[in-house]
Amino acid sequence: PDDSYLAKRDSTLRANVLEESHFQITGAQRRDLPIEGLHFFVPAKGVVSEKFDASSRPWIDVSVPEGAMVMSVLDGTVIFSARDDKDGYILQIQHDNDIISIYRNVRGLLRKAGDKVLAGTPVAIAGTVPSEHGSGTLRLELWYKGEAVDPAKYINF
């Protein structure tokens, strides 16, 4: 084959590859994955001290060092950030795929409602609050499609 034939075939191939490789990166496209297909960030290094029970305690308690940074488990938007007399400071984050994470019994909040956060972003500070739980206990809830799920099934503490 002559050079013009190869050049024409090459340019046709390049045009096809270019056309097929356009990706929408402006945010209009979103992937819905089952919760089992997601990679959760560890909110704080610690040990699960109280296990999940769907009927009586739809959360886990994690013993963490006093003053430890508490991180968002997934990308999302803070939908609630306030102080509660019973549970200390509370932060709720809405994530894609109909997932909500709730962080309770923390000493301080680093984000407010409306803030966008990335997985691994510091959102709160663990520590002593006036409550029944004692110092260094993070209470973590994970909700999927309106039902509480065991965070320890998806996060390796």
Side-chain angles (χ1 to χ4, degrees):
D2 64 33
D3 287 339
S4 65
Y5 172 77
L6 291 176
K8 183 176 179 183
R9 298 268 303 164
D10 181 62
S11 64
T12 302
L13 176 63
R14 286 178 189 271
N16 287 342
V17 168
L18 184 61
E19 184 177 319
E20 291 174 4
S21 66
H22 283 94
F23 295 102
Q24 290 184 340
I25 56 174
T26 56
Q29 188 174 2
R30 164 186 137 178
R31 290 181 2 165
D32 282 328
L33 295 172
I35 193 169
E36 294 81 10
L38 299 173
H39 175 72
F40 288 83
F41 196 89
V42 177
K45 292 186 186 220
V47 177
V48 176
S49 56
E50 294 288 332
K51 296 185 187 233
F52 175 89
D53 181 338
S55 61
S56 64
R57 48 183 349 271
W59 61 78
I60 60 172
D61 284 341
V62 183
S63 293
V64 296
E66 176 85 20
M69 288 292 143
V70 177
M71 318 293 188
S72 176
V73 296
L74 295 167
D75 296 352
T77 302
V78 176
I79 57 173
F80 183 81
S81 175
R83 172 116 170 66
D84 178 80
D85 289 337
K86 180 177 177 237
D87 290 324
Y89 288 97
I90 301 170
L91 189 81
Q92 296 179 6
I93 302 174
Q94 175 72 59
H95 310 284
D96 285 344
N97 304 309
D98 207 8
I99 297 171
I100 295 176
S101 59
I102 303 174
Y103 312 79
R104 297 179 188 268
N105 195 42
V106 294
R107 175 173 65 186
L109 300 173
L110 302 174
R111 303 286 181 245
K112 64 185 181 322
D115 287 353
K116 302 270 188 221
V117 295
L118 298 174
T121 300
V123 294
I125 301 169
T128 306
V129 293
S131 77
E132 64 196 67
H133 309 299
S135 67
T137 300
L138 167 66
R139 176 161 284 176
L140 178 65
E141 297 176 41
L142 197 58
W143 293 79
Y144 179 55
K145 296 187 176 183
E147 293 191 28
V149 296
D150 184 356
K153 283 179 66 175
Y154 307 103
I155 302 169
N156 294 320
F157 289 92

